[in-house]
Amino acid sequence: MTQVTSAADGATSATARPEAPARGAGERPARPARAPRPNGQWKVDGTEPLNGNEKWKQEDGGLSVRERIETTYAREGFDSITDDDLHGRFRWWGLYTQRKPGIDGGKTATLEPHELEDRYFMLRVRIDGGALTTEQLRVIADISKDFGRDSADITDRQNIQLHWIEVENVPEIWRRLESVGLQTTEACGDVPRVVLGSPVAGIAADELIDIGPAVAGITEKYIGVPELANLPRKFKTALTGHPSQDVVHEINDVAFVAHDHPELGIGFDVWVGGGLSANPRLGERLGAFCTEEQVPDVWHGVVQIFRDYGYRRLRNKARLKFLLADWGPERFREVLETEYLGYRLADGPPAPKPSVPGDHIGVHKQKDGRNYIGAAPYVGRVSGQILGHVADLAESVGSRRVRLTPHQKLLVLDVPDADVEHVVSTLEANGLDANPSPFRRSTIACTGIEYCKLAIVDTKDTATATIDELEKRLGDLSGMKPLSLHVNGCPNSCARIQTADIGLKGQLVMDDAGEQVPGFQVHLGGGLASDDREEAGMGRTVRGLKVTATDLPDYVERLVRRYETDKDGTETFAEWAHRSDEEALR
């Protein structure tokens, strides 16, 4: 007789249990089912850390390191920095060690972090909504010249990155930035990163709604607060009130896209769970309509879901996109409304596809009758000197405002009609072209091996040289619609390679002589929703399609000419690339 417990009342009684069948000779006993491993979801598994990153984040959060930088590390120098601060908490204040010069891409995966890194830092200045005053721009320019060897890159997240920063100078840099209302707080790390916002918010004659107040409502209340400073991984946000949908909303963790609801008026379509990197996934609509006043609350609810339910056990599964893939948008919306908002959002249809290009290049009318002028540097590369000249130029025509875009471009606002030609020509003299070639207009590149410890190949110089060659070779096609060319130095897709017409993922490849050389795996036909594309889609990867960095201009020229010859009427490059046989794409 075996004692068992009643499922109904928990009482123990003497009940006969059937004998288990005898095992045959040599048979192994049945292995009990293995309990599923916890994913580190705080609301499901508890908050016990499951890896080293989660452990140090709980022991001492990333925000705390600022005091040590100011009181210890800036005084005692690089060698005084502890490992968990240097390779962890510094990111919460926009600081990464940069790559030591002269280390080739073949060693990126074989050397330890301390062997790859230099004693200098990349510093990311957080610029929510891409909005800068000329005073702020000049402060960044002076920091670049005084402390960063005149380096400056406009990123595809509307930030500015400086290089060659020494820890001894960081407190003075913070003092200068904060004196004009700028910060590096949570510019990196497992936190809410910079909030992307339409770069023409509040000025474009054709915008639906000014998202500036909503961006401020998020950043002023929630950035730098301890309760949101330990997320499973980074958290990316985008808001747009412009019909071009100019903030790449499909690849952010949460995004708000303005449109005119047929019954409720102008508000926002809510998207969640987008992200690229090595496991790309496009965001999904929640089917919910959000008013302007609700945006900060909805944003806060989504980021709390990520904090409480996001997967923390494995870093490569810790983005919100993995939770959404398992839950689906219906469950996600239900949890958002019932556990975090306390009310139901209105249902809403999708926003219509973009009606105009979203890079804002060229001269455009503002709602007040003045003009904004969008200009393209080479793949975001500028300098402190150039930024200072832009500030001077803007002020010389009575402007006090500039904007940065998610496409590595720069806008000068508030230009009177009489000064348009002068501003355009002066920008061009400073390497910023308001009437660029199709390739200069639509090429972006990540930091690459010049500064990044993860990179395998050069990006900025390779992309710049390719643009110059294509302008010479394809001048007869100057009327073609710009094709996006995105150049990335590693598989992590900071340059959004899966959503480009031609996306290039850096790696070492074999040349014709059988030697390993810098090159790229090619992705073709990707893109986000645009004025000539109904919805976002990933690029096509052709097996074995790789190109060396040296051969890149030849390959792109050959591909573009083949497209121009073979396309069917108004067929886009993406449509052609997805229907063509593999040989046509080589």
CSV table of all heavy atoms in Angstrom, one decimal, residues 506-563:
chain,number,residue,atom,x,y,z
A,506,GLY,N,29.9,43.4,-42.8
A,506,GLY,CA,31.3,43.3,-42.9
A,506,GLY,C,31.8,41.9,-42.4
A,506,GLY,O,31.3,41.4,-41.4
A,507,GLN,N,32.7,41.4,-43.1
A,507,GLN,CA,33.4,40.1,-42.7
A,507,GLN,C,34.6,39.9,-43.6
A,507,GLN,O,34.8,40.7,-44.6
A,507,GLN,CB,32.5,38.9,-42.9
A,507,GLN,CG,31.9,38.7,-44.3
A,507,GLN,CD,31.0,37.6,-44.4
A,507,GLN,OE1,31.1,36.7,-45.3
A,507,GLN,NE2,30.0,37.5,-43.5
A,508,LEU,N,35.5,39.0,-43.3
A,508,LEU,CA,36.6,38.7,-44.1
A,508,LEU,C,36.2,37.7,-45.2
A,508,LEU,O,35.4,36.7,-44.9
A,508,LEU,CB,37.7,38.1,-43.3
A,508,LEU,CG,38.3,39.0,-42.2
A,508,LEU,CD1,39.4,38.2,-41.4
A,508,LEU,CD2,38.8,40.3,-42.8
A,509,VAL,N,36.6,38.0,-46.4
A,509,VAL,CA,36.2,37.2,-47.6
A,509,VAL,C,37.4,36.8,-48.4
A,509,VAL,O,38.5,37.4,-48.2
A,509,VAL,CB,35.2,37.9,-48.5
A,509,VAL,CG1,33.9,38.3,-47.7
A,509,VAL,CG2,35.8,39.1,-49.1
A,510,MET,N,37.3,35.8,-49.2
A,510,MET,CA,38.4,35.4,-50.1
A,510,MET,C,38.4,36.2,-51.4
A,510,MET,O,37.4,36.4,-52.0
A,510,MET,CB,38.3,33.9,-50.5
A,510,MET,CG,38.5,33.0,-49.3
A,510,MET,SD,40.2,33.0,-48.7
A,510,MET,CE,40.1,31.7,-47.5
A,511,ASP,N,39.6,36.8,-51.7
A,511,ASP,CA,39.7,37.4,-53.0
A,511,ASP,C,40.0,36.4,-54.1
A,511,ASP,O,40.1,35.2,-53.9
A,511,ASP,CB,40.7,38.6,-53.0
A,511,ASP,CG,42.1,38.1,-52.7
A,511,ASP,OD1,42.4,36.9,-52.7
A,511,ASP,OD2,43.0,39.0,-52.5
A,512,ASP,N,40.3,36.9,-55.3
A,512,ASP,CA,40.6,36.0,-56.5
A,512,ASP,C,41.9,35.2,-56.3
A,512,ASP,O,42.1,34.2,-56.9
A,512,ASP,CB,40.6,36.8,-57.8
A,512,ASP,CG,39.2,37.4,-58.2
A,512,ASP,OD1,38.2,36.8,-57.7
A,512,ASP,OD2,39.2,38.3,-58.9
A,513,ALA,N,42.8,35.8,-55.4
A,513,ALA,CA,44.0,35.1,-55.2
A,513,ALA,C,44.0,34.1,-54.0
A,513,ALA,O,45.0,33.6,-53.7
A,513,ALA,CB,45.1,36.2,-55.0
A,514,GLY,N,42.8,34.0,-53.5
A,514,GLY,CA,42.6,33.0,-52.4
A,514,GLY,C,43.1,33.6,-51.0
A,514,GLY,O,43.3,32.9,-50.0
A,515,GLU,N,43.2,34.9,-51.0
A,515,GLU,CA,43.7,35.6,-49.7
A,515,GLU,C,42.4,36.1,-49.0
A,515,GLU,O,41.5,36.6,-49.6
A,515,GLU,CB,44.6,36.7,-50.0
A,515,GLU,CG,45.9,36.3,-50.7
A,515,GLU,CD,46.8,35.5,-49.8
A,515,GLU,OE1,46.8,35.7,-48.6
A,515,GLU,OE2,47.6,34.6,-50.4
A,516,GLN,N,42.5,36.1,-47.6
A,516,GLN,CA,41.5,36.7,-46.8
A,516,GLN,C,41.6,38.2,-46.8
A,516,GLN,O,42.7,38.7,-46.4
A,516,GLN,CB,41.5,36.2,-45.4
A,516,GLN,CG,40.6,34.9,-45.2
A,516,GLN,CD,40.3,34.7,-43.7
A,516,GLN,OE1,41.0,35.2,-42.8
A,516,GLN,NE2,39.3,34.0,-43.4
A,517,VAL,N,40.6,38.9,-47.2
A,517,VAL,CA,40.6,40.4,-47.2
A,517,VAL,C,39.3,40.9,-46.7
A,517,VAL,O,38.3,40.2,-46.6
A,517,VAL,CB,40.9,40.9,-48.7
A,517,VAL,CG1,42.2,40.4,-49.2
A,517,VAL,CG2,39.7,40.4,-49.6
A,518,PRO,N,39.3,42.2,-46.3
A,518,PRO,CA,38.0,42.8,-45.9
A,518,PRO,C,37.0,42.8,-47.0
A,518,PRO,O,37.3,43.1,-48.2
A,518,PRO,CB,38.5,44.3,-45.5
A,518,PRO,CG,39.9,44.2,-45.3
A,518,PRO,CD,40.4,43.1,-46.2
A,519,GLY,N,35.8,42.5,-46.6
A,519,GLY,CA,34.7,42.4,-47.6
A,519,GLY,C,33.3,42.4,-46.9
A,519,GLY,O,33.2,42.7,-45.7
A,520,PHE,N,32.3,42.0,-47.6
A,520,PHE,CA,31.0,42.1,-47.1
A,520,PHE,C,30.1,40.9,-47.7
A,520,PHE,O,30.2,40.5,-48.8
A,520,PHE,CB,30.3,43.4,-47.6
A,520,PHE,CG,31.1,44.6,-47.2
A,520,PHE,CD1,32.0,45.2,-48.0
A,520,PHE,CD2,30.8,45.2,-45.9
A,520,PHE,CE1,32.7,46.3,-47.6
A,520,PHE,CE2,31.5,46.3,-45.5
A,520,PHE,CZ,32.5,46.9,-46.4
A,521,GLN,N,29.2,40.4,-46.8
A,521,GLN,CA,28.1,39.6,-47.3
A,521,GLN,C,27.0,40.6,-47.7
A,521,GLN,O,26.8,41.6,-47.1
A,521,GLN,CB,27.6,38.7,-46.2
A,521,GLN,CG,26.4,37.8,-46.6
A,521,GLN,CD,25.8,37.0,-45.4
A,521,GLN,OE1,25.4,37.6,-44.5
A,521,GLN,NE2,25.9,35.7,-45.6
A,522,VAL,N,26.3,40.3,-48.8
A,522,VAL,CA,25.4,41.2,-49.4
A,522,VAL,C,23.9,40.8,-49.1
A,522,VAL,O,23.5,39.6,-49.3
A,522,VAL,CB,25.6,41.2,-51.0
A,522,VAL,CG1,24.6,42.2,-51.6
A,522,VAL,CG2,27.0,41.6,-51.3
A,523,HIS,N,23.1,41.8,-48.7
A,523,HIS,CA,21.7,41.6,-48.6
A,523,HIS,C,21.0,42.6,-49.6
A,523,HIS,O,21.4,43.7,-49.7
A,523,HIS,CB,21.2,42.0,-47.1
A,523,HIS,CG,21.9,41.2,-46.1
A,523,HIS,ND1,21.1,40.2,-45.4
A,523,HIS,CD2,23.1,41.2,-45.5
A,523,HIS,CE1,21.9,39.7,-44.5
A,523,HIS,NE2,23.1,40.2,-44.6
A,524,LEU,N,20.0,42.1,-50.3
A,524,LEU,CA,19.4,42.9,-51.3
A,524,LEU,C,17.9,43.0,-51.2
A,524,LEU,O,17.2,42.0,-50.9
A,524,LEU,CB,19.7,42.3,-52.7
A,524,LEU,CG,21.2,42.3,-53.1
A,524,LEU,CD1,21.4,41.5,-54.3
A,524,LEU,CD2,21.7,43.7,-53.3
A,525,GLY,N,17.3,44.2,-51.4
A,525,GLY,CA,15.9,44.3,-51.5
A,525,GLY,C,15.2,44.6,-50.2
A,525,GLY,O,14.0,44.4,-50.2
A,526,GLY,N,15.9,44.9,-49.2
A,526,GLY,CA,15.2,45.3,-47.9
A,526,GLY,C,14.7,46.7,-47.9
A,526,GLY,O,15.1,47.5,-48.8
A,527,GLY,N,13.9,47.1,-47.0
A,527,GLY,CA,13.4,48.5,-46.9
A,527,GLY,C,12.3,48.6,-45.9
A,527,GLY,O,11.7,47.6,-45.5
A,528,LEU,N,12.2,49.8,-45.4
A,528,LEU,CA,11.1,50.2,-44.5
A,528,LEU,C,10.0,50.8,-45.3
A,528,LEU,O,10.2,51.2,-46.5
A,528,LEU,CB,11.6,51.1,-43.4
A,528,LEU,CG,12.8,50.6,-42.6
A,528,LEU,CD1,13.2,51.6,-41.5
A,528,LEU,CD2,12.3,49.3,-41.9
A,529,ALA,N,8.8,51.0,-44.7
A,529,ALA,CA,7.7,51.6,-45.4
A,529,ALA,C,8.1,53.0,-45.9
A,529,ALA,O,8.8,53.7,-45.2
A,529,ALA,CB,6.5,51.7,-44.5
A,530,SER,N,7.8,53.3,-47.1
A,530,SER,CA,8.2,54.6,-47.7
A,530,SER,C,7.2,55.0,-48.8
A,530,SER,O,6.2,54.3,-49.0
A,530,SER,CB,9.6,54.4,-48.4
A,530,SER,OG,9.5,53.6,-49.5
A,531,ASP,N,7.5,56.1,-49.4
A,531,ASP,CA,6.5,56.6,-50.4
A,531,ASP,C,6.4,55.7,-51.6
A,531,ASP,O,5.5,55.8,-52.4
A,531,ASP,CB,6.9,58.0,-50.9
A,531,ASP,CG,8.4,58.1,-51.4
A,531,ASP,OD1,9.3,57.5,-50.8
A,531,ASP,OD2,8.6,58.8,-52.4
A,532,ASP,N,7.4,54.7,-51.8
A,532,ASP,CA,7.2,53.8,-52.9
A,532,ASP,C,7.3,52.3,-52.4
A,532,ASP,O,7.5,51.4,-53.2
A,532,ASP,CB,8.3,54.0,-54.0
A,532,ASP,CG,9.7,53.7,-53.5
A,532,ASP,OD1,9.9,53.4,-52.3
A,532,ASP,OD2,10.7,53.8,-54.3
A,533,ARG,N,7.0,52.1,-51.1
A,533,ARG,CA,6.9,50.8,-50.6
A,533,ARG,C,5.8,50.7,-49.6
A,533,ARG,O,5.8,51.5,-48.6
A,533,ARG,CB,8.3,50.4,-49.9
A,533,ARG,CG,8.4,49.0,-49.4
A,533,ARG,CD,9.7,48.7,-48.9
A,533,ARG,NE,9.8,47.3,-48.5
A,533,ARG,CZ,10.7,46.4,-48.9
A,533,ARG,NH1,11.7,46.8,-49.6
A,533,ARG,NH2,10.6,45.1,-48.5
A,534,GLU,N,4.9,49.7,-49.7
A,534,GLU,CA,3.8,49.6,-48.9
A,534,GLU,C,4.1,49.3,-47.4
A,534,GLU,O,3.5,49.8,-46.5
A,534,GLU,CB,2.8,48.5,-49.4
A,534,GLU,CG,2.1,49.0,-50.7
A,534,GLU,CD,1.0,50.0,-50.4
A,534,GLU,OE1,0.6,50.2,-49.3
A,534,GLU,OE2,0.7,50.7,-51.4
A,535,GLU,N,5.0,48.4,-47.2
A,535,GLU,CA,5.4,47.9,-45.9
A,535,GLU,C,6.8,47.5,-45.8
A,535,GLU,O,7.5,47.2,-46.8
A,535,GLU,CB,4.5,46.8,-45.4
A,535,GLU,CG,4.5,45.6,-46.3
A,535,GLU,CD,3.5,44.5,-45.8
A,535,GLU,OE1,2.5,44.9,-45.2
A,535,GLU,OE2,3.8,43.3,-46.1
A,536,ALA,N,7.3,47.4,-44.6
A,536,ALA,CA,8.7,47.1,-44.4
A,536,ALA,C,9.0,45.6,-44.7
A,536,ALA,O,8.0,44.8,-44.7
A,536,ALA,CB,9.1,47.3,-42.9
A,537,GLY,N,10.2,45.3,-45.1
A,537,GLY,CA,10.6,43.9,-45.4
A,537,GLY,C,12.1,43.7,-45.4
A,537,GLY,O,12.8,44.7,-45.6
A,538,MET,N,12.5,42.5,-45.1
A,538,MET,CA,13.9,42.2,-45.0
A,538,MET,C,14.5,42.0,-46.3
A,538,MET,O,13.9,41.5,-47.3
A,538,MET,CB,14.2,41.0,-44.1
A,538,MET,CG,13.7,41.2,-42.7
A,538,MET,SD,14.6,42.4,-41.7
A,538,MET,CE,13.8,42.3,-40.1
A,539,GLY,N,15.8,42.3,-46.4
A,539,GLY,CA,16.6,42.0,-47.6
A,539,GLY,C,16.8,40.5,-47.9
A,539,GLY,O,16.7,39.7,-47.0
A,540,ARG,N,17.1,40.2,-49.1
A,540,ARG,CA,17.3,38.8,-49.5
A,540,ARG,C,18.8,38.5,-49.5
A,540,ARG,O,19.6,39.3,-49.9
A,540,ARG,CB,16.8,38.7,-51.0
A,540,ARG,CG,17.2,37.4,-51.6
A,540,ARG,CD,16.7,37.4,-53.1
A,540,ARG,NE,17.0,36.2,-53.8
A,540,ARG,CZ,16.8,36.0,-55.1
A,540,ARG,NH1,16.3,37.0,-55.8
A,540,ARG,NH2,17.1,34.9,-55.7
A,541,THR,N,19.1,37.4,-48.9
A,541,THR,CA,20.5,37.0,-48.8
A,541,THR,C,20.7,35.9,-49.8
A,541,THR,O,20.1,34.8,-49.8
A,541,THR,CB,20.9,36.5,-47.4
A,541,THR,OG1,20.7,37.5,-46.5
A,541,THR,CG2,22.4,36.1,-47.4
A,542,VAL,N,21.6,36.1,-50.8
A,542,VAL,CA,21.9,35.1,-51.8
A,542,VAL,C,23.1,34.3,-51.3
A,542,VAL,O,24.2,34.8,-51.0
A,542,VAL,CB,22.2,35.7,-53.2
A,542,VAL,CG1,22.6,34.7,-54.2
A,542,VAL,CG2,21.0,36.5,-53.7
A,543,ARG,N,23.0,33.0,-51.3
A,543,ARG,CA,24.0,32.1,-50.8
A,543,ARG,C,25.4,32.4,-51.5
A,543,ARG,O,25.4,32.4,-52.8
A,543,ARG,CB,23.7,30.6,-50.9
A,543,ARG,CG,24.7,29.7,-50.3
A,543,ARG,CD,24.3,28.2,-50.5
A,543,ARG,NE,23.0,28.0,-49.9
A,543,ARG,CZ,22.8,27.6,-48.7
A,543,ARG,NH1,23.8,27.5,-47.9
A,543,ARG,NH2,21.6,27.4,-48.2
A,544,GLY,N,26.4,32.6,-50.8
A,544,GLY,CA,27.7,32.8,-51.3
A,544,GLY,C,28.0,34.2,-52.0
A,544,GLY,O,29.0,34.4,-52.5
A,545,LEU,N,27.0,35.1,-51.9
A,545,LEU,CA,27.2,36.4,-52.5
A,545,LEU,C,27.9,37.3,-51.6
A,545,LEU,O,27.4,37.9,-50.7
A,545,LEU,CB,25.8,37.0,-52.9
A,545,LEU,CG,25.8,38.4,-53.5
A,545,LEU,CD1,26.8,38.4,-54.7
A,545,LEU,CD2,24.4,38.8,-54.0
A,546,LYS,N,29.2,37.4,-51.9
A,546,LYS,CA,30.1,38.3,-51.1
A,546,LYS,C,31.0,39.1,-52.0
A,546,LYS,O,31.2,38.7,-53.1
A,546,LYS,CB,31.0,37.4,-50.1
A,546,LYS,CG,30.1,36.6,-49.2
A,546,LYS,CD,31.0,35.6,-48.4
A,546,LYS,CE,30.1,34.8,-47.4
A,546,LYS,NZ,30.9,33.8,-46.6
A,547,VAL,N,31.4,40.2,-51.5
A,547,VAL,CA,32.2,41.1,-52.3
A,547,VAL,C,33.3,41.7,-51.5
A,547,VAL,O,33.1,42.0,-50.3
A,547,VAL,CB,31.3,42.2,-52.9
A,547,VAL,CG1,30.6,43.1,-51.8
A,547,VAL,CG2,32.1,43.1,-53.8
A,548,THR,N,34.5,41.8,-52.1
A,548,THR,CA,35.6,42.5,-51.3
A,548,THR,C,35.4,44.0,-51.3
A,548,THR,O,34.7,44.6,-52.1
A,548,THR,CB,36.9,42.2,-52.0
A,548,THR,OG1,37.0,42.9,-53.2
A,548,THR,CG2,37.2,40.7,-52.2
A,549,ALA,N,36.0,44.6,-50.3
A,549,ALA,CA,35.8,46.1,-50.1
A,549,ALA,C,36.4,46.8,-51.4
A,549,ALA,O,35.8,47.7,-51.9
A,549,ALA,CB,36.6,46.5,-48.9
A,550,THR,N,37.5,46.2,-51.9
A,550,THR,CA,38.1,46.8,-53.1
A,550,THR,C,37.2,46.7,-54.3
A,550,THR,O,37.1,47.7,-55.1
A,550,THR,CB,39.4,46.1,-53.4
A,550,THR,OG1,40.3,46.2,-52.3
A,550,THR,CG2,40.1,46.7,-54.7
A,551,ASP,N,36.4,45.7,-54.4
A,551,ASP,CA,35.5,45.4,-55.6
A,551,ASP,C,34.1,46.0,-55.4
A,551,ASP,O,33.3,45.9,-56.3
A,551,ASP,CB,35.4,43.9,-55.9
A,551,ASP,CG,36.7,43.3,-56.4
A,551,ASP,OD1,37.5,44.1,-56.9
A,551,ASP,OD2,36.9,42.1,-56.2
A,552,LEU,N,33.9,46.7,-54.3
A,552,LEU,CA,32.5,47.1,-54.0
A,552,LEU,C,32.0,48.1,-55.1
A,552,LEU,O,30.9,47.9,-55.5
A,552,LEU,CB,32.5,47.8,-52.6
A,552,LEU,CG,31.1,48.2,-52.1
A,552,LEU,CD1,30.1,47.1,-52.1
A,552,LEU,CD2,31.2,48.8,-50.7
A,553,PRO,N,32.7,49.1,-55.5
A,553,PRO,CA,32.2,50.0,-56.6
A,553,PRO,C,31.8,49.3,-57.8
A,553,PRO,O,30.8,49.5,-58.5
A,553,PRO,CB,33.3,51.0,-56.8
A,553,PRO,CG,34.1,51.0,-55.5
A,553,PRO,CD,34.1,49.6,-55.0
A,554,ASP,N,32.7,48.3,-58.2
A,554,ASP,CA,32.4,47.5,-59.4
A,554,ASP,C,31.1,46.7,-59.3
A,554,ASP,O,30.3,46.7,-60.2
A,554,ASP,CB,33.5,46.5,-59.7
A,554,ASP,CG,34.8,47.2,-60.1
A,554,ASP,OD1,34.8,48.4,-60.6
A,554,ASP,OD2,35.9,46.6,-60.0
A,555,TYR,N,30.9,46.1,-58.1
A,555,TYR,CA,29.7,45.3,-57.9
A,555,TYR,C,28.5,46.2,-57.9
A,555,TYR,O,27.5,45.8,-58.6
A,555,TYR,CB,29.8,44.5,-56.6
A,555,TYR,CG,28.5,43.8,-56.2
A,555,TYR,CD1,28.1,42.7,-57.0
A,555,TYR,CD2,27.7,44.3,-55.2
A,555,TYR,CE1,26.9,42.1,-56.7
A,555,TYR,CE2,26.5,43.7,-55.0
A,555,TYR,CZ,26.1,42.6,-55.7
A,555,TYR,OH,24.9,42.0,-55.5
A,556,VAL,N,28.5,47.3,-57.2
A,556,VAL,CA,27.3,48.1,-57.1
A,556,VAL,C,27.0,48.7,-58.5
A,556,VAL,O,25.8,48.7,-58.9
A,556,VAL,CB,27.5,49.2,-56.1
A,556,VAL,CG1,26.2,50.1,-56.1
A,556,VAL,CG2,27.6,48.6,-54.7
A,557,GLU,N,28.0,49.1,-59.2
A,557,GLU,CA,27.7,49.7,-60.6
A,557,GLU,C,27.1,48.6,-61.4
A,557,GLU,O,26.1,48.8,-62.1
A,557,GLU,CB,29.0,50.1,-61.2
A,557,GLU,CG,28.8,50.7,-62.6
A,557,GLU,CD,30.0,51.0,-63.4
A,557,GLU,OE1,31.1,50.6,-63.0
A,557,GLU,OE2,29.9,51.6,-64.5
A,558,ARG,N,27.6,47.4,-61.4
A,558,ARG,CA,27.1,46.3,-62.2
A,558,ARG,C,25.6,46.0,-61.8
A,558,ARG,O,24.8,45.8,-62.7
A,558,ARG,CB,28.0,45.1,-62.0
A,558,ARG,CG,27.6,43.9,-62.9
A,558,ARG,CD,28.6,42.8,-62.8
A,558,ARG,NE,28.8,42.2,-61.5
A,558,ARG,CZ,29.9,42.3,-60.7
A,558,ARG,NH1,30.9,43.1,-61.1
A,558,ARG,NH2,29.9,41.7,-59.6
A,559,LEU,N,25.4,46.0,-60.6
A,559,LEU,CA,24.0,45.6,-60.1
A,559,LEU,C,23.0,46.7,-60.5
A,559,LEU,O,21.9,46.4,-60.9
A,559,LEU,CB,24.1,45.5,-58.5
A,559,LEU,CG,22.8,45.0,-57.9
A,559,LEU,CD1,22.6,43.5,-58.2
A,559,LEU,CD2,23.0,45.1,-56.3
A,560,VAL,N,23.4,48.0,-60.3
A,560,VAL,CA,22.5,49.1,-60.6
A,560,VAL,C,22.2,49.1,-62.1
A,560,VAL,O,21.1,49.3,-62.5
A,560,VAL,CB,23.1,50.4,-60.1
A,560,VAL,CG1,22.3,51.6,-60.7
A,560,VAL,CG2,23.1,50.4,-58.6
A,561,ARG,N,23.2,49.0,-62.9
A,561,ARG,CA,23.0,49.0,-64.4
A,561,ARG,C,22.1,47.8,-64.8
A,561,ARG,O,21.3,47.9,-65.7
A,561,ARG,CB,24.3,49.0,-65.1
A,561,ARG,CG,25.1,50.3,-65.0
A,561,ARG,CD,26.2,50.5,-66.0
A,561,ARG,NE,26.9,51.7,-65.8
A,561,ARG,CZ,26.5,52.9,-66.2
A,561,ARG,NH1,25.3,53.0,-66.8
A,561,ARG,NH2,27.2,54.0,-66.0
A,562,ARG,N,22.3,46.7,-64.2
A,562,ARG,CA,21.4,45.5,-64.5
A,562,ARG,C,20.0,45.8,-64.1
A,562,ARG,O,19.1,45.5,-64.9
A,562,ARG,CB,22.0,44.3,-63.8
A,562,ARG,CG,21.4,43.0,-64.3
A,562,ARG,CD,22.2,41.8,-63.8
A,562,ARG,NE,23.5,41.7,-64.4
A,562,ARG,CZ,24.5,41.1,-63.8
A,562,ARG,NH1,24.4,40.5,-62.7
A,562,ARG,NH2,25.7,41.1,-64.5
A,563,TYR,N,19.8,46.4,-63.0
A,563,TYR,CA,18.4,46.8,-62.5
A,563,TYR,C,17.8,47.8,-63.5
A,563,TYR,O,16.7,47.6,-64.0
A,563,TYR,CB,18.5,47.3,-61.1
A,563,TYR,CG,17.3,48.2,-60.8
A,563,TYR,CD1,16.0,47.7,-60.7
A,563,TYR,CD2,17.5,49.6,-60.5
A,563,TYR,CE1,14.9,48.5,-60.4
A,563,TYR,CE2,16.4,50.4,-60.2
A,563,TYR,CZ,15.1,49.8,-60.1
A,563,TYR,OH,14.0,50.6,-59.8
